[in-house]
Amino acid sequence: MAGKARDDPRAWLAVEETAAAFLSGSLSSRPPIILPPPLHRASLRPGNVVEIAGPSNSGKSHLLLMAAVQCILPKEWEGIYFGGLGKAVMYFDLDCRFDVLRLAQILRNHIAESCSSAHLRSGDLENDGTKDELQRSFENTLLSDCMQRFLYVRCCNSSEFIAALETLHSRSRSEILGVCIYFVMIDSIGTFYWMDRGSQSVRENKGKSLQGFTETIVQEIRRFLQLQPALVLVTKAPIYGEDTTTANDFNRGSSKYMLDDPTVLRHSRHGEERTLSSREYMPSIWQSFVTHRINLQVEEAEFSSMLESEVLSTHTSEWVQPSLKTKEKFSIVDGGVVLVQ
Amino acid sequence: MEERMNQDQRSTEGRCGRFWNGMDLLKDVTGSKHFLPTGLEGVDTLLGGGLRQGQLTEVTGPSSSGKTQFCLHSASHVAAKHMGVVMYLDTSNSFSPSRIATIIDGTPGLFCQRGSQSTIFLPFFLPLSYGFDLQPKDVRLKNIMRSIICESVFDVFALSEVLHQLEVSLLNDKEKNGGSRICLLIIDSISSLLAPIIGGKYPQGRAMMISVAMILKKLADEHNLAVLVTNHMVSAGNGAVKPALGESWKAVPHVRLVISRDRGSNICTATVLKHTLLASGRTTKFVVPS
């Protein structure tokens, strides 16, 4: 459609279509995406920007990996149904903690699960001795095929991140990549917050500020999305603990008050904890760029129950934007996510 | 074309900013990122094999819970097994060569399973009449000690300086230190350097902390170092304790391990707070040999 418009804008303007035709057109060009739970509640489309917020260990990166696996798995492969999207993922690793073995582990689990359920259906379980070797090479081929669709770049500061976004943009335009990127993932967006804020006052004239960096980042992602409709998934970790008393852009006044009287926080710790740890620190340009927001929490495992070594910690998720009033509980297991009722 | 672009990027930006695909990453990890066993039974199983090259492992725990012992033990084990050179950055004068000697002495396994490297080097140091088994203790000890480089670092600026020098030397001379490369970097304790600069109302302290973290992780990834740092614990209110350095640091380590020592004994309990590959919350007991 974009190509047509460029050729002859008048013709594009002149076209009259009914709402139904428009809807079906846009539904087919940008079909809704159903992500694995607990991200399945909101209806997402390419072009949306989803922010997954939550403290460390609440499962943010895990949800990213689950979504990545869904994206790079094919829908069907040699007659076996995998239910994936068969498209490419671009993963920006800002906090440099991505573990490729974890991705391979989740992917292998998925492949093995789908295979075994397919074999169960066709009922050939008896001759597993001879099939083992064949099966393994089949799974490895599929794994490497999927991993080829996973693109990864690690960035150590905001300038590198922006450079990587520019490269992505110029590359996808010249179509060297050869694959269509459907999910863009950023883990995690606030990583360089302190570095950018710190540089702000030191090199006021030549260096860019946090605001400037964020503007450029948003602009670059927008440019990329115009070219290639993709779903953007971003994680965001809190940078303030429940009792850090730092000044920040949003509440200089109140933080001064907190500095004077730290006991205020101690007394109302329980109520304050949540609000403080999920306090927004990204510049407003980023906040308005985000279209969907989900908050994760983890129920801290008690130190007293340490002896039961296989206790699963419970995570809760809550959509904030759009505001769905339901909270969902889930646990992270090797194969993925299990919803707890 | 794609290859050329990748090469262009590699020459200008190193590994950061380079586009990888999943298979390249997997090959890199299985090929050059190994687990370095700490030699502490139980802990290695808990960590899935030990300290992983390319990752930053944090050991935290209350005062005198055995954090320094953990570091000394890992250092001696890695050095004695000839896995590579260990760089030990000591911030509180807690590095103890005599302790390392005791650890090496006390673990007979460390001498029995000599790597092939040592058998090549031994004749240069010894008269021919010595068999390998008759090799004097102090010579063996000297060889092991030679592959532990200890440096005292007392503030964050000195740390930046040391890390910068390390990066330059790793880049320039990949065959330094008699053919064996640095494979383990220990900072005991990083929190004593970072805690004084964070907090307050200016962001520069935290900016510096995150910069140090990024340098460490970059070094770990590009030069296949396992990085081990220790962190102390502070009060979290209600009598509970939590690792120091706050919420921003929480997102830094790949693996976070908390250890505590039973009162009056040398049995420690280790709990995984965070791991990139394995479930967290698992726990084990291990003995710090006295």
Side-chain angles (χ1 to χ4, degrees):
Chain A
M1 217 153 89
K4 257 190 282 168
R6 225 172 285 140
D7 292 344
D8 188 4
R10 260 171 216 289
W12 183 72
L13 277 175
V15 170
E16 280 181 36
E17 50 184 357
T18 60
F22 178 76
L23 183 67
S24 72
S26 72
L27 273 182
S28 62
S29 69
R30 296 186 169 199
I33 302 167
I34 309 290
L35 290 174
L39 297 174
H40 62 299
R41 291 274 176 216
S43 67
L44 300 169
R45 314 271 299 277
N48 287 153
V49 180
V50 185
E51 186 181 86
I52 306 168
S56 159
N57 224 5
S58 61
K60 302 184 297 292
S61 305
H62 183 77
L63 294 189
L64 278 195
L65 292 185
M66 297 291 299
V69 163
Q70 195 205 10
C71 188
I72 57 180
L73 267 176
K75 189 168 187 203
E76 245 184 49
W77 173 273
E78 314 238 331
I80 296 176
Y81 179 79
F82 290 98
L85 300 169
K87 288 179 174 156
V89 170
M90 180 72 236
Y91 192 102
F92 290 95
D93 189 13
L94 305 191
D95 62 8
C96 300
R97 277 195 309 173
F98 171 76
D99 187 355
V100 69
L101 292 182
R102 179 73 182 142
L103 177 71
Q105 188 186 43
I106 298 175
L107 197 54
R108 273 208 186 90
N109 275 333
H110 268 259
I111 292 172
E113 231 167 70
S114 303
C115 283
S116 69
S117 68
H119 286 310
L120 267 180
R121 238 175 286 133
S122 55
D124 48 12
L125 266 178
E126 314 87 54
N127 48 0
D128 49 348
T130 51
K131 269 206 137 183
D132 241 20
E133 204 57 36
L134 210 72
Q135 180 67 26
R136 202 167 301 138
S137 84
F138 165 81
E139 283 180 11
N140 283 339
T141 320
L142 178 56
L143 182 87
S144 107
D145 180 70
C146 290
M147 289 298 253
Q148 300 284 351
R149 279 194 289 270
F150 185 82
L151 299 167
Y152 170 90
V153 65
R154 65 157 53 211
C155 311
C156 296
N157 53 48
S158 289
S159 320
E160 270 182 19
F161 182 33
I162 290 167
L165 282 170
E166 277 165 1
T167 318
L168 178 71
H169 185 253
S170 60
R171 274 222 227 172
S172 66
R173 186 155 52 193
S174 50
E175 279 164 26
I176 298 167
L177 240 42
V179 281
C180 147
I181 291 172
Y182 202 51
F183 285 8
V184 174
M185 303 185 164
I186 301 168
D187 188 21
S188 68
I189 191 68
T191 310
F192 308 129
Y193 174 84
W194 290 114
M195 286 160 81
D196 295 342
R197 273 200 60 196
S199 70
Q200 205 163 330
S201 32
V202 177
R203 299 167 286 165
E204 210 140 12
N205 309 321
K206 51 175 182 174
K208 270 190 177 175
S209 63
L210 174 69
Q211 182 74 25
F213 276 126
T214 317
E215 268 168 26
T216 320
I217 288 165
V218 168
Q219 200 184 321
E220 284 298 326
I221 301 176
R222 278 225 173 93
R223 268 174 65 201
F224 174 75
L225 289 181
Q226 273 169 7
L227 206 70
Q228 202 156 18
L231 179 69
V232 183
L233 293 159
V234 184
T235 66
K236 194 180 77 181
I239 53 171
Y240 299 103
E242 63 254 39
D243 58 7
T244 37
T245 49
T246 43
N248 87 26
D249 293 333
F250 307 102
N251 57 351
R252 263 212 179 111
S254 67
S255 72
K256 194 166 184 180
Y257 158 74
M258 282 193 279
L259 271 173
D260 288 338
D261 190 6
T263 50
V264 172
L265 268 179
R266 289 280 144 67
H267 286 309
S268 57
R269 247 189 91 235
H270 243 54
E272 209 91 337
E273 195 176 326
R274 291 278 149 93
T275 54
L276 261 180
S277 62
S278 59
R279 189 159 80 195
E280 188 58 65
Y281 56 85
M282 289 300 288
S284 58
I285 181 147
W286 174 262
Q287 293 176 45
S288 56
F289 181 54
V290 171
T291 60
H292 293 72
R293 216 179 294 259
I294 187 170
N295 268 352
L296 303 184
Q297 290 290 343
V298 62
E299 247 120 87
E300 289 288 339
E302 292 285 319
F303 274 104
S304 56
S305 66
M306 269 194 323
L307 286 177
E308 310 154 46
S309 55
E310 289 304 313
V311 170
L312 288 175
S313 52
T314 322
H315 305 252
T316 50
S317 64
E318 184 183 12
W319 282 98
V320 187
Q321 186 186 345
S323 174
L324 306 176
K325 291 281 183 272
T326 52
K327 276 194 180 189
E328 263 166 317
K329 284 183 190 261
F330 64 97
S331 295
I332 293 174
V333 293
D334 269 355
V337 162
V338 178
L339 285 178
V340 182
Q341 299 310 317
Chain B
M1 181 73 182
E2 173 142 25
E3 258 183 38
R4 215 176 63 211
M5 280 189 81
N6 267 345
Q7 271 167 5
D8 284 352
Q9 278 172 5
R10 217 173 304 159
S11 56
T12 51
E13 299 168 51
R15 287 160 64 114
C16 280
R18 180 184 159 201
F19 283 74
W20 300 71
N21 75 40
M23 276 328 269
D24 297 341
L25 285 173
L26 209 55
K27 265 178 222 152
D28 178 55
V29 165
T30 46
S32 49
K33 309 261 194 300
H34 306 289
F35 285 99
L36 305 177
T38 60
L40 292 164
E41 227 170 293
V43 173
D44 287 337
T45 338
L46 194 70
L47 294 177
L51 309 169
R52 191 152 140 211
Q53 286 179 304
Q55 290 203 335
L56 196 154
T57 307
E58 181 189 88
V59 173
T60 181
S63 167
S64 80
S65 57
K67 300 188 290 291
T68 298
Q69 294 306 320
F70 189 101
C71 292
L72 291 173
H73 225 279
S74 312
S76 3
H77 197 80
V78 166
K81 291 257 177 175
H82 301 284
M83 286 181 274
V85 172
V86 179
M87 182 150 196
Y88 200 108
L89 301 183
D90 183 15
T91 69
S92 41
N93 285 341
S94 54
F95 180 80
S96 150
S98 61
R99 179 71 192 137
I100 290 208
T102 330
I103 292 171
I104 292 166
D105 259 354
T107 356
L110 288 184
F111 276 136
C112 297
Q113 306 164 326
R114 258 198 313 264
S116 55
Q117 273 180 336
S118 70
T119 51
I120 298 166
F121 288 124
L122 285 178
F124 296 108
F125 297 114
L126 299 168
L128 283 171
S129 57
Y130 281 111
F132 292 141
D133 294 306
L134 293 173
Q135 190 189 5
K137 242 183 203 169
D138 53 329
V139 175
R140 286 178 291 188
L141 203 57
K142 217 185 247 171
N143 285 339
I144 293 172
M145 287 298 195
R146 209 168 273 153
S147 51
I148 302 178
I149 307 166
C150 180
E151 212 160 318
S152 287
V153 175
F154 294 118
D155 60 52
V156 72
F157 302 103
L159 178 68
S160 303
E161 184 65 35
V162 168
L163 292 180
H164 182 69
Q165 277 171 6
L166 179 65
E167 189 176 11
V168 169
S169 77
L170 283 168
L171 276 175
N172 287 345
D173 192 358
K174 299 211 163 189
E175 295 301 309
K176 231 186 166 181
N177 300 309
S180 48
R181 306 207 44 200
I182 293 184
C183 67
L184 175 61
L185 171 67
I186 298 176
I187 306 177
D188 179 29
S189 73
I190 199 158
S191 55
S192 68
L193 301 181
L194 295 180
I197 62 164
I198 61 168
K201 76 183 212 207
Y202 298 106
Q204 275 79 12
R206 284 191 174 76
M208 210 177 249
M209 173 174 83
I210 299 301
S211 303
V212 166
M214 293 316 286
I215 294 169
L216 286 175
K217 285 200 269 194
K218 199 175 158 191
L219 280 176
D221 181 62
E222 289 180 7
H223 304 285
N224 303 326
L225 300 183
V227 180
L228 172 65
V229 302
T230 62
N231 189 358
H232 65 269
M233 287 189 126
V234 291
S235 157
N238 308 332
V241 286
K242 60 171 188 185
L245 299 182
E247 206 69 24
S248 332
W249 180 263
K250 223 177 180 180
V252 170
H254 292 88
V255 176
R256 195 167 226 199
L257 198 66
V258 60
I259 57 177
S260 61
R261 192 197 290 252
D262 297 350
R263 199 172 285 265
S265 79
N266 56 359
I267 299 165
C268 296
T269 312
T271 311
V272 179
L273 288 187
K274 193 181 194 84
H275 200 286
T276 54
L277 199 54
L278 303 164
S280 50
R282 293 166 315 120
T283 181
T284 190
K285 284 196 184 298
F286 66 98
V287 180
V288 172
S290 49

